[in-house]
Amino acid sequence: MSVSASPAGAPARARTARSHPALSLVSTHVVGPVATVLAASFLLFSALALAPGDPVARLLGPHASDAARSAMRTRLGLDDPLPERYWHWLTGALRGDLGTSLTYRQPVSELLAPRLLTTLLLIGMAALLILVVGLLLGGIGGTSPRWRPLVNALSGLGIAVPSFVATSVLIGFFAVNLGWFPTGGAGEGFTDRLWHLTLPAVALSIGYAAYLTQMTSAAIAEEATAEHVLTGRGRGLPRSWLFRRHILRNASLPVLTASGLTVAGLMAGAVVVEPAFGIDGIGSLLIKSVSAKDYPVVTAISVLIVAVFVVVTTVLDAGQSLLDPRLRKGR
């Protein structure tokens, strides 16, 4: 009886999945990302809660009495069970209440708002540089065998140089020696901010632009030597038409993937660049909060970085489905 029921049930489930494409879309692009962010937030919250160090001792100092410490722990809810503490944080975060900073004694959301604008401007400038330089050099390296060794050498050098080394070189040469750019700060006003954030954006984009250059060059070079492209050239088809119709179209999927992952990683990269340039953004605040054991701020920024990465990769996945119909059929 069970043997005959299995083949009959499988087509029924397949027909149900095909008849409800909206359910599959919601599951892939809504339920999955939300579950990922929730799981990541719980892991981050738990790791910070179990990390060594006592924020109460940081707040009250070493000479505080046991009664004062106990009262502060009760006030902050540190004696509650971990699942209960996480539930209170999650429900508050959904209402826009990310808690109160232990160091600054003000709501975390008020601390993040002005700094987030600075970081987003920095990330936007860096993303523009990455896409322009990476796609341009990658296109040159992929289509021109003559320039490909130079492009590969430059991209390899960009990947090998750590961001903090590039930051030191840029500050020493362009800011200190030449005096073209300020050595630190985010500036005041839109134009002044662009001027102050130019060097940090360059420092943030070097490694990512080199990675995108390598991926773009390899993807275009691989598609240029494909059998159908070589056949088209043998039949006398125009090179420009082959490039637009076949090479660029087929290479766009891995290039889109590399571009999306690159942009998604910029928020984490800002953690290294911002303190070096004295920019009061999300990255600098995260470093200060980790040193001060300001767990509400650290939790909020860490979850924000994860959420940005999940959103960007979800949009990237949707873009891949639009470019490649085979992915939609697979789902």
Side-chain angles (χ1 to χ4, degrees):
M1 190 72 177
S2 58
V3 175
S4 60
S6 176
R13 288 191 297 269
R15 287 194 301 269
T16 303
R18 288 194 299 267
S19 62
H20 296 285
L23 295 178
S24 176
L25 182 65
V26 170
S27 175
T28 302
H29 299 300
V30 178
V31 178
V34 170
T36 301
V37 174
L38 289 177
S41 67
F42 178 75
L43 291 176
L44 289 169
F45 188 91
S46 303
L48 291 173
L50 300 176
D54 188 4
V56 173
R58 179 83 180 186
L59 285 172
L60 300 180
H63 302 294
S65 63
D66 293 339
R69 293 184 181 182
S70 177
M72 179 61 71
R73 292 186 64 86
T74 302
R75 176 185 173 188
L76 297 177
L78 298 179
D79 293 329
D80 297 335
L82 180 59
E84 183 179 349
R85 291 164 57 188
Y86 172 74
W87 176 252
H88 288 320
W89 177 87
L90 179 62
T91 54
L94 294 177
R95 298 191 305 267
D97 180 12
L98 299 174
T100 303
S101 170
L102 303 179
T103 303
Y104 298 93
R105 307 295 180 89
Q106 64 181 103
V108 176
S109 56
E110 295 182 4
L111 287 173
L112 296 184
R115 293 171 173 84
L116 183 59
L117 294 177
T118 301
T119 300
L120 290 178
L121 182 57
L122 172 62
I123 290 176
M125 295 175 62
L128 182 61
L129 289 173
I130 290 169
L131 294 177
V132 171
V133 175
L135 297 178
L136 180 61
L137 291 181
I140 294 174
T143 56
S144 176
R146 178 182 177 182
W147 292 99
R148 191 172 301 157
L150 178 60
V151 171
N152 290 338
L154 291 175
S155 61
L157 179 63
I159 292 177
V161 175
S163 58
F164 63 88
V165 174
T167 298
S168 301
V169 172
L170 290 173
I171 293 176
F173 186 73
F174 290 101
V176 177
N177 293 339
L178 298 179
W180 291 357
F181 298 97
T183 56
E188 298 292 338
F190 182 73
T191 304
D192 191 43
R193 284 197 171 192
L194 291 180
W195 183 43
H196 277 74
L197 294 179
T198 298
L199 277 187
V202 173
L204 181 59
S205 63
I206 289 177
Y208 293 103
Y211 166 73
L212 183 59
T213 298
Q214 282 193 346
M215 293 296 296
T216 305
S217 178
I220 292 178
E222 181 180 359
E223 293 299 331
T225 57
E227 183 178 355
H228 61 280
V229 175
L230 297 178
T231 302
R233 289 177 180 176
R235 293 181 178 180
L237 296 176
R239 289 180 175 268
S240 59
W241 184 86
L242 286 173
F243 181 79
R244 293 193 309 269
R245 181 67 177 176
H246 295 285
I247 299 177
L248 189 60
R249 183 175 181 179
N250 293 334
S252 61
L253 193 59
V255 171
L256 176 64
T257 303
S259 301
L261 294 177
T262 297
V263 174
L266 289 177
M267 181 73 80
V271 175
V272 178
V273 173
E274 286 184 354
F277 283 93
I279 299 173
D280 193 15
I282 294 296
S284 297
L285 181 61
L286 178 61
I287 297 298
K288 296 176 183 177
S289 301
V290 170
S291 301
K293 294 182 173 56
D294 196 345
Y295 296 144
V297 177
V298 176
T299 302
I301 296 178
S302 301
V303 173
L304 176 63
I305 293 175
V306 172
V308 169
F309 189 87
V310 170
V311 169
V312 172
T313 52
T314 301
V315 174
L316 175 64
D317 183 65
Q320 290 175 332
S321 300
L322 293 176
L323 288 175
D324 193 346
R326 294 173 297 181
L327 296 178
R328 296 195 298 268
K329 294 180 180 179
R331 292 198 181 96

